[in-house]
Amino acid sequence: MKFRSTRSGECVSLDAALSQGLAPDGGLFVPERMPQIALREFDESDDVHAIAVRYLTPFFAGSELSDALPEIVRETFNFALPLVDLQPFVDAPLSVLELFHGPTAAFKDIGAQFLAACLTRLDAREAHGKPLTILVATSGDTGGAVASAFHRRPGVRVVVLFPEGRVSARQQQQLTCWGDNISALAVRGSFDDCQRLVKASFVDQQLTTQCRFSSANSINIGRLLPQSVYYAVTALQYQRTVGRSLNWMIPTGNLGNGLAAVMARAVGLPLGDIVFVSNANRTLVDYFDSGEYEPRDSIATLASAMDVGAPSNLERLRHVFGESAALQASGLTSASVDDARIRGQIARDFARLPFAWCPHSATAMHVWDSLDQQQRTRDWAVVATAHPAKFDTIVEPLIDCPVPIPDALAALLQRPARFDTIDATLDALRTKLM
Ligand SMILES: *Cc1c(COP(=O)(O)O)cnc(C)c1O
């Protein structure tokens, strides 16, 4: 299987697409064609690992990693991804897919663990004098997931750049608590400054002669492939037990999670309608309404991991699946939920559900709650992208009680934190990297 750039159409192997992240022409890699898998081809596959290997095998055809695929799958899917039935609480066929039981309590753990498993294997094929440096800019969740996934992997060091004072206290702890081969730098500036420094480092002559760089950013195809696995697994298991297809409400920022669902459906898995749910950043909703794509600056909301004004994976969606009219004809839609509705949903649902939503997941639940009676008779899944304990300062005042902390997160909160602070200049970063 080859992977094609959305811009020049140039094709590369999976291994090159994973290592490069972004195509040299600035485009994003997409599968050259979507493999088709008939449902009966999963008949022998019962558990998550077996379904994942069957699903990913065509994407890995011709890759140097194909023999290691079962191990990569085991390393990636090493925590529960439960589909929890909410019918008893809402009197309709609604479930929630909980993607937050990993080490940093957000779905980013899945993509990060898969990328770490693939990149360390690809890199180990050659003997290098110096370690691979993974440089990540983060606005909150990605950096912690990447740090956790690469922690103590030999031959790799991770440097996380985050904007000083602009991440939540618990997110900062998850970026700065690792030690060993992970270091964290607070940048006196914004997330955009952090991203600019990463890009500048990759083309800086002095740095690139000293360090071997790689990125683990959100546009790597290695994020999408494992994310589409949990849609494949859940859709298949629901079809087997209930006999119907699930329809989906997916919290959306860069559209990586939503696009992964569309991919699983295109491969032949039984997913029905898919709703991309944004916060008050309306770029995607406006695109679906007007057919015109107008990127803009993001605005800050309670669901901060979805504060995206130019969703990068829209380029992939349009390239592979067509423009707004065609997308809507195939059962894809989009909706926007503002902060007041997020607050209201978290507070109201805590009275009827046995848990609280994180602000991101609450956007998706709000759209389900706004469906008419007839739509509610269909089978829906709301995707929960993070644990509410990560956003305690937002959620606790709304529900008026503490959110229990999952064990993995509690363990991270106990660890000593360490980071340095730098000015938002390449010179300042260079002294830390060399
Ligand atoms: C990253 C993130 C999102 C948005 O996912 P995309 O793949 O960028 O659309 C939603 N919720 C949480 C908690 C996230 O960390």
Side-chain angles (χ1 to χ4, degrees):
M1 161 87 61
K2 294 276 187 216
F3 290 78
R4 183 178 66 226
S5 164
T6 50
R7 304 248 168 115
S8 65
E10 193 208 335
C11 284
V12 302
S13 67
L14 174 63
D15 306 353
L18 288 170
S19 304
Q20 290 172 20
L22 196 67
D25 59 26
L28 305 179
F29 289 114
V30 293
E32 187 185 27
R33 63 189 158 72
M34 278 297 159
Q36 300 297 309
I37 312 182
L39 286 192
R40 71 185 128 66
E41 295 183 57
F42 290 99
D43 281 352
E44 311 286 297
S45 314
D46 283 332
D47 64 355
V48 174
H49 292 163
I51 298 170
V53 170
R54 180 66 198 86
Y55 177 85
L56 290 172
T57 294
F59 295 99
F60 276 70
S63 161
E64 297 203 19
L65 295 170
S66 61
D67 287 346
L69 181 57
E71 277 174 46
I72 293 169
V73 158
R74 271 199 303 278
E75 277 174 37
T76 305
F77 297 97
N78 61 358
F79 55 85
L81 297 162
L83 183 72
V84 178
D85 183 14
L86 297 185
Q87 171 115 33
F89 310 104
V90 299
D91 199 24
L94 174 68
S95 306
V96 52
L97 178 60
E98 295 182 351
L99 301 178
F100 53 65
H101 296 281
T104 68
F107 83 95
K108 302 283 197 312
D109 282 323
I110 293 147
Q113 294 192 162
F114 183 84
L115 261 184
C118 292
L119 291 181
T120 48
R121 281 180 174 79
L122 287 172
D123 198 58
R125 288 171 316 172
E126 295 149 52
H128 300 289
K130 41 192 164 185
L132 188 66
T133 299
I134 308 267
L135 202 54
V136 229
T138 187
S139 60
D141 285 335
T142 295
V146 170
S148 162
F150 284 93
H151 186 220
R152 296 194 175 145
R153 287 202 181 247
V156 184
R157 71 165 171 162
V158 174
V159 181
V160 179
L161 272 57
F162 66 95
E164 180 184 38
R166 301 201 198 181
V167 300
S168 82
R170 285 189 180 165
Q171 282 175 325
Q172 176 158 328
Q173 176 66 17
Q174 287 183 322
L175 301 173
T176 55
C177 71
W178 299 97
D180 302 309
N181 60 331
I182 315 288
S183 49
L185 296 173
V187 175
R188 292 190 189 97
S190 65
F191 170 61
D192 292 328
D193 290 319
C194 297
Q195 252 181 332
R196 178 175 53 76
L197 289 176
V198 169
K199 286 187 185 149
S201 304
F202 288 168
V203 295
D204 181 74
Q205 214 166 17
Q206 203 183 350
L207 276 174
T208 49
T209 50
Q210 290 283 322
C211 310
R212 294 192 306 117
F213 284 119
S214 184
S215 73
N217 55 22
S218 58
I219 43 83
N220 197 306
I221 188 75
R223 285 257 193 112
L224 290 177
L225 293 176
Q227 287 171 190
S228 71
V229 165
Y230 50 70
Y231 290 109
V233 170
T234 309
L236 191 63
Q237 290 177 339
Y238 196 82
Q239 173 81 37
R240 281 174 181 169
T241 51
V242 181
R244 291 188 295 269
S245 297
L246 269 175
N247 304 287
W248 295 86
M249 297 288 178
I250 305 181
T252 297
N254 255 329
L255 193 57
N257 205 4
L259 180 61
V262 181
M263 280 173 60
R265 195 176 75 169
V267 169
L269 277 300
L271 287 85
D273 292 346
I274 299 171
V275 185
F276 306 128
V277 185
S278 304
N279 56 25
N281 288 277
R282 296 186 53 91
T283 307
L284 199 61
V285 177
D286 292 345
Y287 167 74
F288 271 86
D289 282 350
S290 69
E292 305 286 326
Y293 174 51
E294 288 174 34
R296 58 200 81 157
D297 290 342
S298 67
I299 55 173
T301 76
L302 294 174
S304 55
M306 295 157 54
D307 290 348
V308 178
S312 48
N313 281 299
L314 186 58
E315 179 166 333
R316 281 190 168 115
L317 185 75
R318 297 165 77 191
H319 183 88
V320 179
F321 298 102
E323 294 295 341
S324 159
L327 297 171
Q328 295 187 54
S330 75
L332 304 180
T333 49
S334 114
S336 157
V337 176
D338 64 21
D339 277 357
R341 292 186 170 85
I342 291 174
R343 281 199 195 88
Q345 197 69 38
I346 293 172
R348 254 196 329 278
D349 274 346
F350 192 63
R352 62 172 173 171
L353 300 178
F355 58 82
W357 299 104
C358 91
H360 311 80
S361 315
T363 64
M365 182 60 186
H366 183 79
V367 178
W368 181 86
D369 225 1
S370 313
L371 292 176
D372 63 28
Q373 274 311 320
Q374 206 221 322
Q375 281 288 341
R376 273 180 194 237
T377 61
R378 305 172 72 207
D379 300 67
W380 287 94
V382 163
V383 176
T385 48
H387 193 284
K390 263 188 117 151
F391 304 93
D392 54 317
T393 54
I394 296 169
V395 175
E396 290 179 353
L398 294 169
I399 64 172
D400 214 13
C401 72
V403 178
I405 304 178
D407 291 348
L409 183 54
L412 295 187
L413 296 179
Q414 296 299 315
R415 297 170 70 105
R418 247 218 78 192
F419 64 94
D420 289 336
T421 304
I422 62 167
D423 287 333
T425 64
L426 188 57
D427 283 340
L429 178 57
R430 208 186 272 118
T431 37
K432 295 293 176 190
L433 290 176
M434 300 196 7

